[in-house]
Amino acid sequence: LAGEKAEALAQLDLLLSLPTIFSTAWLETDPRWDGLRGEPGYARLLEEYSLEKGAEEDLHRILRDAERARNTVKELLEFTRQTRHLMQPNNINEALTRTLFLLENQTLFQNIKLRKDFQPDLPLVSSDAQQLYHLMMNIILNAAQAMDGNGILHIKTHYLEKQDRVCIVISDTGPGIPENVLPHIFEPFFTTKDEGKGTGLGLSLAYNIVESHGGRMSARNNPEKGASFIIELPSAANSQKGDERE
């Protein structure tokens, strides 16, 4: 029963986040090529004709926008696809890159400077890909909202060799977390956001996802400014591949 409740809450939080996620598709779909209905084939036909330089540049921009929009929709469908949880080795850097692809061109991120410090050749992590994206989406969106869309978002990955864990640190330059709030930050339905702007489920579900993967998650205030969320996940070296759970 507890597992079913957790699953239901996870699905609820995902549904509530869909307006934010799918707004990416609207932003990526420039109205200037709306008549193409997402199909770049029509524009490609125009390449057969001799065009002025300005028109040719516009055409190539349309083609690039169409291709990016198609890729965005593909990522959105992958993100929201409902499947059974499949535990398999995943690349944390690639998962973060795919999550950022869906977010970084949204209005909320236009005035946020993104700093990526990904350690190359990280060990793979045994995880469910969909839950991994959900986890990262929640933490990154939370950081961006804490900064009101203006600041520096720093995402770092590195390997903790002694613990055989992959560590993800997501830091922002927002106001930080009040000391009286910090001990409750991962509690279900706990939120400091205005009414209607948060469910209080996001961080709690992120915490549960990390725990269900045998990992650890914590939050702290930065010495200078803002807050950091630290996620540690065990490597897949000693995990059974393809361990499918109901």
Side-chain angles (χ1 to χ4, degrees), residues 37-104:
R37 300 185 185 279
E39 176 53 61
Y42 293 106
R44 293 192 188 283
L45 290 175
L46 297 177
E47 289 187 323
E48 299 177 4
Y49 297 89
S50 178
L51 301 173
E52 295 181 1
K53 184 177 180 181
E56 186 176 344
E57 290 176 353
D58 287 342
L59 173 59
H60 285 294
R61 186 184 65 250
I62 290 170
L63 290 174
R64 288 195 301 270
D65 289 347
E67 188 68 25
R68 182 172 180 84
R70 186 164 58 182
N71 290 338
T72 298
V73 171
K74 181 180 177 182
E75 292 290 335
L76 286 168
L77 291 173
E78 178 67 24
F79 179 82
T80 57
R81 185 179 61 185
Q82 301 302 311
T83 61
R84 290 186 298 173
H85 295 165
L86 179 64
M87 301 294 285
Q88 58 186 9
N90 284 296
N91 185 308
I92 289 296
N93 290 342
E94 289 181 2
L96 281 166
T97 299
R98 293 183 69 178
T99 303
L100 290 170
F101 174 82
L102 293 176
L103 294 175
E104 59 189 354

Side-chain angles (χ1 to χ4, degrees), residues 21 41 110-112 120 122 185 188 195 211:
I21 298 169
Q110 286 184 356
N111 295 315
I112 290 178
L122 283 175
I185 198 73
E195 186 176 351
E211 277 205 327

